[in-house]
Amino acid sequence: MASIFTKIVNGEIPCYKVAETEDFLAFLDVNPNTKGHTLCIPKKEVDKIFDLDEATYLALMQFSRKVAIALEKAVPCKRVGMSVIGLEVPHVHVHLIPLNTMEDARFVSKATLDKSQFEAIAKAIQSNL
């Protein structure tokens, strides 16, 4: 059964797309820790990050870096943190989280945004790519 992220890649579920290449997709997390929380995924469904072949792993990190640099320009923060946990969705994903405090990285408190806010953030990040 396809993961929710594979359904996003296939266009079956909408997303707030930030960046896309032939092999990778970046989109806003709809349950964000902070404003601008972005997920970077390989389009190919693989459960665990260290099960990716080396070339795909390195390319995912390069893609995530590019998105993180644009994210930091678009969303005021002290830095963009990166986390790879992958327990909730069995599809490799890199969390890019705008951080102002360590609490922002804890996955406990969540930001609430409406559709227009998500769209504006996605557009702002895209404009910095």
Side-chain angles (χ1 to χ4, degrees):
M1 183 171 174
S3 76
I4 190 169
F5 292 162
T6 296
K7 290 178 181 180
I8 289 171
V9 168
N10 293 337
E12 298 168 34
I13 296 174
C15 71
Y16 298 102
K17 191 182 300 184
V18 170
E20 184 173 20
T21 67
E22 184 178 327
D23 298 316
F24 303 103
L25 178 65
F27 53 93
L28 296 177
D29 191 317
V30 294
N31 189 28
N33 287 17
T34 62
K35 176 181 170 180
H37 183 162
T38 301
L39 301 173
C40 297
I41 66 169
K43 289 183 176 178
K44 179 181 176 187
E45 185 174 320
V46 174
D47 184 7
K48 301 173 189 173
I49 194 162
F50 298 119
D51 287 343
L52 292 172
D53 62 80
E54 186 174 357
T56 303
Y57 173 84
L58 294 172
L60 175 60
M61 290 299 111
Q62 290 175 326
F63 178 77
S64 298
R65 179 181 181 274
K66 181 179 177 182
V67 173
I69 290 168
L71 174 57
E72 190 169 27
K73 290 176 184 174
V75 177
C77 59
K78 290 184 178 177
R79 69 182 60 218
V80 173
M82 182 175 79
S83 179
V84 178
I85 301 168
L87 293 175
E88 291 181 341
V89 179
H91 188 131
V92 173
H93 54 290
V94 174
H95 293 265
L96 300 176
I97 307 167
L99 301 174
N100 288 298
T101 71
M102 286 301 294
E103 291 301 307
D104 295 337
R106 292 191 38 169
F107 293 86
V108 192
S109 298
K110 297 295 183 170
T112 303
L113 304 166
D114 64 29
K115 181 179 180 188
S116 64
Q117 290 171 307
F118 277 115
E119 290 170 345
I121 294 165
K123 188 173 183 175
I125 297 167
Q126 290 168 3
S127 72
N128 284 291
L129 287 170

